[in-house]
Amino acid sequence: MRIPVVLDCDTGTDDALAILTGLACSDMEIRAITTVAGNVELKYTSVNTLNLVDHLGYDVPVAVGKSEPLIRPLHTAKEVHGENGMGDVVLPISNRAFDSESAIDVIYREAKKAEGDLHLVAVGPLTNIAHLFMTYPDVKPLIKHLTIMGGAIDGGNMTPSTEFNIHVDPEAAKLVSESGVPQTWVTLDATLSATIEDTMIDELRTIDTKKAKLAVEILDYMVTRNRRFGIEGAVMHDGLALASVAVPSLLKGDDFYLTVETKGEFTSGKTVVDVARVTGKPNNAFVTTGMDVEKFRAWMKEMIVNEA
Ligand code: BDR
Ligand code: CA
């Protein structure tokens, strides 16, 4: 059986590549995509997602989620993803409608439908997932596993110790970390190595399909933007998280106790991972410490090249 998946995202350039490759993976079935505010405002993340899914020729439902973090104003990442979240990439406008139910209701619906087998993947701020757990606490045992792109054992990309998705909505992330739902945190310790570089992009450039052309367009934007900041390649934070559902061996890591700080100029949104095992608290998450970059690149390439 294909792994039933709901993807919650804030599309976003790397979210878009996660969607493009995830939809092409025969090991998982993305049953719905839900949107949240993050990289850009909700109106953009939602429209980007719908346009993308439609352009790629899938009729997967897209449902709209929350426009603001639990208690804070939204902080976007337009400097990374461009004004509307897709950089320079212009997608044809879809005339399909969003799902008539909200993101929260759609995740609940799909969790019940999958009867305990649902794999929920969250690659944006955890606002929708926190609302889901507050609104429908009975959903928790129906989620087989939750994979989160977020946090870091060491370092950060927003402050010296916070990663964007968790920085944007720390209260939501803390609530999710304490939910008791089995969870994997795909942190910067892994995702910063998940890069796609020029050699692979040039190989993809020779492929004359709608999917490959779009992938190259997004990758080109990301690589060019990153180069201005001295970073080589396009970083597939969200692609790695989603790929790991189909190929868990992409991730290196261990079970740890993880919590989220919600206070401090530089530490609000910091994931604290008890690597030294000094708290005595039970492990509540699998947390990544690294990844297999060659295997990941091969998986990404296969998903972009295949005819799915
Ligand atoms: C995360 O932040 C967003 O900008 C990306 O889409 C990814 O989910 C990386 O820190
Ligand atoms: Ca994202």
Side-chain angles (χ1 to χ4, degrees), residues 151-253:
I153 295 175
D154 270 324
N157 58 7
M158 286 303 293
T159 75
S161 62
T162 65
E163 178 280 331
F164 177 78
N165 289 338
I166 309 308
H167 178 91
V168 170
D169 200 344
E171 287 75 19
K174 186 167 165 59
L175 189 148
V176 170
S177 74
E178 291 168 355
S179 66
V181 172
Q183 49 197 267
T184 292
W185 285 64
V186 182
T187 62
L188 293 179
D189 311 277
T191 66
L192 286 175
S193 304
T195 57
I196 304 291
E197 299 186 352
D198 286 339
T199 327
M200 183 168 136
I201 301 172
D202 287 338
E203 285 164 14
L204 294 171
R205 222 178 283 287
T206 62
I207 299 163
D208 191 19
T209 63
K210 202 191 236 191
K211 182 169 56 163
K213 280 179 186 304
L214 178 61
V216 167
E217 225 188 309
I218 302 171
L219 287 165
D220 276 342
Y221 172 83
M222 294 176 82
V223 166
T224 309
R225 184 258 164 207
N226 281 354
R227 197 158 281 147
R228 289 206 305 273
F229 294 89
I231 303 163
E232 259 324 292
V235 190
M236 301 289 105
H237 301 283
D238 297 347
L240 177 64
L242 187 55
S244 76
V245 174
V247 192
S249 60
L250 290 174
L251 304 180
K252 295 177 185 146

Side-chain angles (χ1 to χ4, degrees), residues 7 37 42-43 51 72 77 99 142 153 164 178 194 234 251 269:
L7 176 68
L42 183 70
K43 62 181 178 191
N51 288 347
R72 300 169 185 243
D99 197 292
L142 293 175
I153 295 175
F164 177 78
E178 291 168 355
L251 304 180

Side-chain angles (χ1 to χ4, degrees), residues 98-171:
F98 290 110
D99 197 292
S100 59
E101 295 189 277
S102 73
I104 313 314
D105 286 351
V106 165
I107 304 174
Y108 187 50
R109 176 182 86 198
E110 293 302 326
K112 285 191 289 188
K113 232 191 256 175
E115 298 178 334
D117 280 330
L118 187 72
H119 203 129
L120 183 55
V121 182
V123 297
L126 291 166
T127 319
N128 286 346
I129 314 302
H131 276 283
L132 172 75
F133 292 162
M134 290 189 289
T135 314
Y136 300 114
D138 56 314
V139 77
K140 293 180 190 174
L142 293 175
I143 297 172
K144 188 164 191 179
H145 203 86
L146 168 63
T147 297
I148 293 161
M149 187 284 126
I153 295 175
D154 270 324
N157 58 7
M158 286 303 293
T159 75
S161 62
T162 65
E163 178 280 331
F164 177 78
N165 289 338
I166 309 308
H167 178 91
V168 170
D169 200 344
E171 287 75 19

Side-chain angles (χ1 to χ4, degrees), residues 262-275:
T262 58
K263 295 195 166 52
E265 183 182 357
F266 300 124
T267 52
S268 168
K270 173 178 171 50
T271 43
V272 177
V273 183
D274 186 8
V275 177

Side-chain angles (χ1 to χ4, degrees), residues 17 56 86 132 170 187 193 239 294:
L17 282 161
L56 293 170
M86 289 297 291
L132 172 75
T187 62
S193 304
E294 289 313 325

